[in-house]
Amino acid sequence: MKWFTNTFSYWSELVSEIRIWWVFRSAARQNITKLNENDLRVDWLGRIYGVVNMPEEVVGAAPQVQQAYVLQQINKWGPLTTEMGLSDIIYPEINRIPSTNAYLVVMWPQYDALGLWYILGNIIKSAAVGFGLYLLARVIWVNFHHVTELFNKLLGLAGM
């Protein structure tokens, strides 16, 4: 039953995520100068990204120390994202840049319903459910007199 109800609730979820993406993208593009002042950039999708360079003493340390250093550097961008109104929806994705002493930090909202394959799958699922409902309605409409006779017989058996 959950599969059936998810077919219909997905579309409101998708609209909500598109709205969040649009708000995030607009806020990022309106504040490009503030972001550039803090060594952050915005790409064509509206993602905010920056590079965290690690000093030599951190590079030779354990991976936990490197991660702590990157998180500390991300915290300096916190007031900026709060000022832009994005701190509640932003999630950082941290990836090491190969053959360098730096990490790439990409910040943008977490999306569940806003994926190409997920959208295509739900279009197919919605079409299948819609076609099934159409067939059910068509069978009831064509055989309406049989359905009413059956209903009357059931009412007669129940004594009504």
Side-chain angles (χ1 to χ4, degrees):
M1 189 65 172
K2 187 176 180 185
W3 180 86
F4 184 75
T5 58
N6 284 348
T7 303
F8 301 107
S9 64
Y10 168 77
W11 298 107
S12 64
E13 199 176 310
L14 178 64
V15 168
S16 174
E17 287 190 6
I18 289 173
R19 188 184 59 78
I20 289 171
W21 171 75
W22 187 260
V23 167
F24 186 85
R25 183 174 177 260
S26 299
R29 289 191 172 194
Q30 288 173 357
N31 294 298
I32 285 180
T33 54
K34 288 180 187 177
L35 292 168
N36 287 341
E37 291 169 2
N38 288 290
D39 298 325
L40 295 170
R41 304 290 180 263
V42 178
D43 66 4
W44 65 278
L45 283 175
R47 295 179 295 192
I48 300 171
Y49 63 95
V51 175
V52 175
N53 294 310
M54 293 185 296
E56 289 299 322
E57 58 270 6
V58 176
V59 172
Q64 293 84 1
V65 175
Q66 293 178 5
Q67 291 172 0
Y69 181 80
V70 172
L71 291 175
Q72 181 183 17
Q73 296 302 312
I74 291 174
N75 284 338
K76 74 178 183 182
W77 297 325
L80 177 64
T81 58
T82 302
E83 179 184 327
M84 292 169 53
L86 302 175
S87 60
D88 292 343
I89 60 173
I90 201 168
Y91 294 100
E93 179 183 323
I94 304 167
N95 295 313
R96 186 170 187 121
I97 301 173
S99 67
T100 63
N101 296 332
Y103 281 87
L104 176 66
V105 179
V106 180
M107 297 179 283
W108 80 323
Q110 180 69 34
Y111 299 117
D112 295 327
L114 195 59
L116 178 64
W117 295 114
Y118 203 60
I119 292 171
L120 288 175
N122 276 286
I123 288 172
I124 292 169
K125 188 167 79 167
S126 295
V129 168
F131 185 69
L133 290 174
Y134 168 76
L135 288 178
L136 179 65
R138 187 78 178 143
V139 165
I140 291 173
W141 182 258
V142 169
N143 299 312
F144 186 72
H145 63 283
H146 295 298
V147 172
T148 55
E149 287 176 15
L150 178 65
F151 187 69
N152 286 333
K153 284 180 184 178
L154 290 174
L155 285 177
L157 289 175
M160 296 183 167

